[in-house]
Structures are given as structure tokens and as C-alpha cells.
Amino acid sequence: MSVIVFVESKNGNVSKASFEAVSYGSKIGDVTAVTYGDVDATALGEFGAKKVLVHKGLSSANDQQATKLVVAAVEETGADTVIFSQDQIGKAIAPRVSAALNAGHASGAIELPKTDGDFIVKTNVFSGKAFANVKLNSDKKVISLLPNSFSPEKIGGSAEISEVSYDLGSAGITVKDFKSEGEGVPLPEAELVVSAGRGLKGPENWGMVEDLAATLGATTACSRPVADIGWRPHHEHVGQTGVAIRPNLYIAAGISGAIQHLAGVNGSKTIVVINTDSEAPFFKAADYGIVGDAFEVLPKLNEALKKFKAAQ
Amino acid sequence: MKLLVCISKAPDTTSKIAFTDGDTKFDENGVQYIVNPYDEWYALVRALELVEANGGTVTTITVGTAADDPTIRKALAIGANDAVRIDAEPKDAFFVAKQIAEYAKANEFDIVFTGKETINYNGAQLGGMIAEFLNQPYVSLAEKLDIAGNVATLDRMVAGGSEVIEVNTPFVLSAAKGMAEQRIPNMRGIMAARTKPLTVVPATEVSNLSEIVSYEMPAEKSACKYIEADNMDELVELLHNEAKVI
Ligand SMILES: Cc1cc2nc3c(=O)[nH]c(=O)nc-3n(C[C@H](O)[C@H](O)[C@H](O)COP(=O)(O)OP(=O)(O)OC[C@H]3O[C@@H](n4cnc5c(N)ncnc54)[C@H](O)[C@@H]3O)c2cc1C
């Protein structure tokens, strides 16, 4: 099978989610990665891309031009499958590409497709409370891979890189400004997350959450009411109506574990819950539980981690 | 200003998720339906605010059967002027997007609003597909929207922050948190909604590009291991050697 993988390029770098998508694609067929701008594409070969097409005329991805780029690459290579990461940029472009190609679209894939007989992709539905097996009936297929659900594998190959100059038309949108959330790994991509809820009593107490996150190299998150009352920024709100995440480690302090919160975080590989109430529903979803006061436990955990890091 | 807001029904967030017919159908037994939160809280309310400030109309559109009418009336109670229902069982996002795009093409709207995703299928597909069918720009994951004449300024979520975007109407967007505040419908709104126009339109033919063949539930979690608050060294050890996440 011939596979196109869309690779986001930002400030010349390839995102982690894009490496996951390339590695995923290479398990389905021969991958041609499609990217743009002044990008260092050499590492894509190590993750399984055979070829890389770079469009230097496009500096940042916008939905309409990136769609034309991917569609032109599909026409040139005759690819039958197109892979995106289900990240912010993937959500903007993948559905357009699927409409342009008349292709069935499996959104939020968490595993490789089954291809013996029908083409079936397992996807995340009901905000992580269930999975759906989606059968794609069309000749061309689009798959959006959920970040952090497929471990990218370095196979140590090298890709043939060439430039393309397809006519991409004009961009309908103009980017005027970028407001950074700050340094650090964005929440959807983060492998380690420290999260806190209303149990922390006020925004002035978040220092201990941030300290623990800094020791771990983790990203911070929060429950919905905490974002709604303005203790923390909206982009930290995780759950069914916030960001859905699947980190390796999710530490939740002072969060009760309401069904809507669990929906967005229960794909996490390991969950640690810190709560004063031994009856808090979150313990049912936890791997490790500490019945205790976050104001004591978080600093203690931070100290233990510092000791562990120093000994490493 | 002529605005179109896509409205989907979704199971109440506390619904028990279960499946029937050999795990091929969502079990609707005892399930209460709500307006999908992203459609209602952010897309619909922001559209209403814009029309209240600048004049115009807000039409809602839903692809569904008569079973969707109570959800549509709820959106009308919040303040939409009228509603359209394309009379078909939604098959997949492509099918739904095609139906809505056909209607939007014939009726020319300044902005088509969708929610960021539905809380049942989480596809985040509809807006992009509609935009492609209409050959219009698509602003996904919009957190803020202002409009002056035919120029709209939006904030949208991107990796590591948000972008400020400018775009001319007509365009399509998907609405995320931040765009507006939830509105609770009042009695007057609920009464008025009963008599607002709900036009039922026949569906157009679209081939079936995808289908859900079965559902699965995640594996049961093994029981939680409890660790003493005074023994954080043990937790660190378990995270390192047992869970292997640090
Ligand atoms: C339609 C809908 C959508 C929703 N979507 C989301 C969503 O996406 N994300 C989300 O998070 N919520 C969502 N909610 C809200 C959800 O139902 C809960 O209200 C919310 O998650 C509770 O937040 P919390 O756990 O921080 O606060 P609380 O429920 O108030 O829990 C605080 C917890 O802290 C514990 N605690 C108190 N003091 C301490 C201490 N010193 N140390 C340790 N623990 C302590 C308490 O025992 C309690 O368990 C949604 C609700 C609805 C209706």
C-alpha cells in the first residue's frame, strides 16, 4: 500500500505527533511524508518514511493550502491511505482532505487498522468511555491518529527528500499573531501530567502543583470548575468538555473524579489519585491511590522524586 | 448577518455507556439526550450574541429524524430564529457534512458554525468537510470571534498556544471553549420555541464511505493500590519499576 503522512512543521521542527503518524503509516505501507517550509526532514526516514516531499512555498499550514498540498501529493504518488495526527492542525486539515478525496475518514484512531478482508480502524468514542471499530468502504482512506496512542519506532532508515512546487492557490485565513501558552510540552502531547482540582482551595496554592510538574518535566492540567472560576487558564481544562489526553502518567490531586472529568483522562496509562476523601469516585479509576491531604502529599512526592532524580 | 449553526444531539454526560445487538448499537435505554455542549454553549450562543449586536438571523440545522426534534426545540428556546432538519438517519460525518453543505450552498450564509466535536463520536470532522464542500476557509477550534463588516477576527487553539486569525466571510468554524458562556433558556424562550418554524427537508443521496461495525468497552482497570501518604518513596519506586512511566 502507498501511504501519505501529513507532517506538521513548526519553526523548522517536526512535532512528536507527526513522528508517531509517520511510524504508524510505515506499518501500513510505503510512506511518503508531506511537509512544508524550512524544515529539517532528515529524521523522518529514521521513523520509517521512504520519501519526503517538501513544499518550500508554504511557510505555515493553513487549512486550504495544506489540503491542496496533500491532495496533490496523493495524486502524484497514487497513495490510497492518508494519515494525520488528530492534533489541532490535523483537525483543521484531515476532514477537508477526506471531503476533497471522497474518502472515508476514521477520526481518533488508537491502533493500526485491520486489513485482512475489510479495512477496520479502532477509534476513540464517547470521550474515551468506549471504542468504535470503523469500517472504511472507499478506495481512498483517511486516518487521524490520536496523539500518544502509538509509540513511534526508530528503524534507522533514511528518506529520499525532494521539493515540490504544486500550485496551492491562496490562503483564506491570515495569521496575525501567536499567543504562547508558555514553554513546555502542550497538554495533548504530554506524556506526564500533573493535574489539580477544587480541592486545592485557591489559585495561590498552585505553586506545589507547578513544583511537582517541574521536577517531573510534566505539563499542568486542571478540572473544569477550576478553569471556569479563573484559577487556571482554559487550555488546562481536561475532561469531556475540555482537552482529552492520554499521557503515560496522570497525577490528580484534589479532583473528585466526576464522570465528565474521567471521560477525558481515562485513556491515561497510569493514574495516581491524591484525595482526602477515601470515597472519592476517582479511586475507582486509579492505579495508585493516596488518601491524604494534597497540601502535604504533593510536597512529599516532590521531595521523593527529587531524591530519585538525583540518584539516577 | 445570516448565520447557520449545526446542532447535534448527544447523550447526557452522565449517561451509562453500553451497547446492544451484539455490540453494534448504542444502548439508548434510559439515556437522556441534550444538545451537544460545544454546539450549544459556544457555537449557538456566540451566533446569537453577534445577531443581537449586529442584526440578522440564526438558523439551526440538524441531520436527523423526528426523534431529534426535542433537541432542536431546545436550541430554538435558547434563541435561534428558525430550524432546519434534514430528514435522514446520520450515517457518518461525510454524509452529514454533505447534507448541510447542500443546504448552505443554496441558502448562502455568512458563517456556518459547528461545535469542536460531539461528545459521543469526538470526530471533529464536520466543519472541515462542510468548508471543503463549500470551498470556504475553515477556522477550527475557535475560542473567540469578533466581526466588523465582512472581516472576522478569531482566536483558535494551535499547538502550544493560540493564533489570532483574520478571515473574510463567508467561512466555516468549529467552536471551542471560551467563545461564549452557556445560556439557560427561560420560560418565554421555551414557549416561543414551540411555534418557531422547524422546516423538514429531504436528504440527498450520498454513498456510504464509512460505518461503525462494532463497539468495545475499555478493559477493566485492576484495583487501585493504596500507598501511605508518608511513603512517597514507595510510590516513586512503583512508578519507576512497576508502571515504568518515570
Ligand atoms: C455537561 C458537563 C460537562 C462537564 N465537563 C467536565 C470536564 O470536561 N472536565 C471536568 O473536570 N469536569 C467537567 N464537568 C464537571 C464535573 O461534573 C465536576 O463538577 C468537576 O469535575 C468537579 O471538579 P473537582 O473535582 O475539581 O471539584 P469537586 O467535585 O469539588 O472535588 C474536589 C475534590 O477535592 C477533594 N479535596 C478537598 N480538599 C482536599 C485536600 N486538601 N487534599 C486532597 N483532596 C482534597 C475532595 O474530597 C473532592 O473529591 C462537567 C459537568 C457537566 C454537567
Side-chain angles (χ1 to χ4, degrees):
Chain A
M1 259 189 268
S2 168
V3 178
I4 292 281
V5 180
F6 175 80
V7 169
E8 178 179 18
S9 125
K10 250 184 80 186
N11 310 321
N13 298 316
V14 170
S15 67
K16 173 175 158 258
S18 294
F19 284 122
E20 291 173 358
V22 167
S23 185
Y24 178 91
S26 73
K27 309 287 173 200
I28 302 173
D30 286 344
V31 167
T32 302
V34 178
T35 187
Y36 51 89
D38 191 13
V39 61
D40 179 8
T42 41
L44 293 170
E46 292 172 29
F47 285 92
K50 291 250 160 70
K51 285 187 194 153
V52 181
L53 304 179
V54 187
H55 197 301
K56 299 255 184 207
L58 185 64
S59 56
S60 75
N62 66 80
D63 56 307
Q64 285 173 300
Q65 291 183 309
T67 298
K68 289 210 173 74
L69 172 60
V70 173
V71 170
V74 168
E75 277 161 10
E76 182 172 321
T77 58
D80 39 39
T81 308
V82 186
I83 315 286
F84 288 87
S85 172
Q86 175 81 325
D87 54 7
Q88 289 97 339
I89 190 83
K91 285 178 186 170
I93 303 167
R96 282 203 91 112
V97 167
S98 132
L101 294 174
N102 232 14
H105 179 207
S107 176
I110 55 163
E111 278 178 11
L112 283 167
K114 289 195 182 68
T115 51
D116 46 341
D118 294 331
F119 193 103
I120 294 176
V121 190
K122 190 176 192 176
T123 65
N124 209 45
V125 290
F126 292 99
S127 307
K129 286 184 256 185
F131 308 121
N133 291 305
V134 179
K135 181 171 151 235
L136 299 182
N137 300 322
S138 49
D139 295 339
K140 300 227 185 279
K141 299 165 178 77
V142 178
I143 302 176
S144 296
L145 174 68
L146 216 58
N148 279 347
S149 34
F150 187 83
S151 314
E153 192 195 344
K154 260 198 178 169
I155 56 160
S158 74
E160 178 198 315
I161 301 175
S162 47
E163 281 189 34
V164 292
S165 54
Y166 311 129
D167 175 12
L168 303 180
S170 56
I173 63 173
T174 320
V175 179
K176 291 283 178 189
D177 197 7
F178 173 70
K179 299 186 247 179
S180 173
E181 284 166 4
E183 299 300 306
V185 188
L187 206 42
E189 284 185 21
E191 289 180 0
L192 305 170
V193 175
V194 181
S195 185
R198 219 150 43 176
L200 259 73
K201 317 253 184 314
E204 66 281 6
N205 300 322
W206 246 262
M208 54 192 183
V209 178
E210 282 166 351
D211 289 347
L212 176 60
T215 305
L216 273 169
T219 303
T220 49
C222 68
S223 67
R224 178 177 157 211
V226 163
D228 282 355
I229 38 186
W231 293 359
R232 298 298 293 176
H234 282 317
H235 65 80
E236 284 198 2
H237 158 196
V238 292
Q240 189 159 14
T241 53
V243 184
I245 54 172
R246 303 167 64 81
N248 287 335
L249 175 62
Y250 184 71
I251 300 178
I255 301 177
S256 56
I259 187 164
Q260 300 92 351
H261 185 85
L262 294 181
V265 305
N266 60 5
S268 309
K269 280 162 205 96
T270 300
I271 296 179
V272 175
V273 169
I274 303 164
N275 200 304
T276 38
D277 175 8
S278 64
E279 300 289 314
F282 219 149
F283 286 116
K284 289 200 181 70
D287 298 279
Y288 303 109
I290 301 115
V291 180
D293 187 340
F295 288 77
E296 286 165 28
V297 176
L298 286 173
K300 279 183 188 160
L301 177 54
N302 192 19
E303 285 316 308
L305 274 164
K306 278 190 182 153
K307 219 166 62 190
F308 164 79
K309 292 264 173 181
Q312 284 255 295
Chain B
M1 216 181 294
K2 241 178 112 181
L3 306 179
L4 184 67
V5 180
C6 303
I7 296 287
S8 168
K9 72 175 187 311
D12 177 71
T13 54
T14 55
S15 305
K16 184 176 177 299
I17 305 303
F19 302 98
T20 58
D21 291 19
D23 288 336
T24 59
K25 278 208 178 71
F26 174 59
D27 186 354
E28 294 191 303
N29 214 338
V31 169
Q32 294 276 352
Y33 280 97
I34 57 172
V35 181
N36 180 49
Y38 290 107
D39 305 350
E40 178 191 323
W41 302 351
Y42 309 128
L44 176 60
V45 175
R46 189 62 194 142
L48 292 171
E49 288 170 354
L50 289 177
V51 160
E52 285 158 8
N54 303 298
T57 53
V58 175
T59 301
T60 70
I61 187 161
T62 303
V63 177
T65 62
D68 290 51
D69 288 351
T71 313
I72 296 170
R73 293 277 174 211
K74 170 107 190 277
L76 290 171
I78 294 168
N81 299 85
D82 62 335
V84 173
R85 177 165 61 78
I86 313 236
D87 194 19
E89 191 70 57
K91 291 191 182 115
D92 64 1
F94 190 98
F95 176 90
V96 172
K98 191 87 190 180
Q99 307 297 335
I100 293 173
E102 290 295 318
Y103 183 83
K105 219 178 256 173
N107 293 278
E108 291 191 15
F109 294 91
D110 296 300
I111 310 175
V112 178
F113 291 71
T114 68
K116 174 183 116 169
E117 61 190 43
T118 60
I119 59 168
N120 37 353
Y121 293 109
N122 310 106
Q125 297 159 292
L126 203 62
M129 289 179 179
I130 295 171
E132 183 64 21
F133 291 135
L134 295 176
N135 194 21
Q136 289 178 8
Y138 174 48
V139 184
S140 58
L141 310 179
E143 305 167 294
K144 191 165 178 263
L145 162 66
D146 289 305
I147 189 152
N150 68 334
V151 182
T153 308
L154 301 101
D155 285 3
R156 70 157 174 189
M157 291 159 68
V158 293
S162 50
E163 279 178 348
V164 182
I165 298 271
E166 231 174 60
V167 62
N168 290 346
T169 57
F171 67 97
V172 181
L173 68 80
S174 79
K177 181 169 182 174
M179 188 167 261
E181 297 285 336
Q182 183 178 7
R183 274 190 193 179
I184 309 296
N186 57 26
M187 211 14 123
R188 230 180 88 225
I190 295 167
M191 296 304 284
R194 291 188 186 160
T195 53
K196 283 181 181 172
L198 193 173
T199 314
V200 179
V201 176
T204 44
E205 195 78 31
V206 175
S207 61
N208 220 6
L209 300 182
S210 75
E211 60 198 282
I212 293 175
V213 288
S214 64
Y215 292 94
E216 291 173 33
M217 296 301 283
E220 289 275 329
K221 274 255 175 197
S222 48
C224 175
K225 248 185 207 172
Y226 286 93
I227 295 131
E228 290 299 321
D230 285 329
N231 203 355
M232 285 302 101
D233 289 330
E234 185 192 344
L235 176 63
V236 170
E237 199 271 329
L238 287 166
L239 292 177
H240 181 60
N241 289 320
E242 189 177 74
K244 297 189 171 44
V245 288
I246 59 169

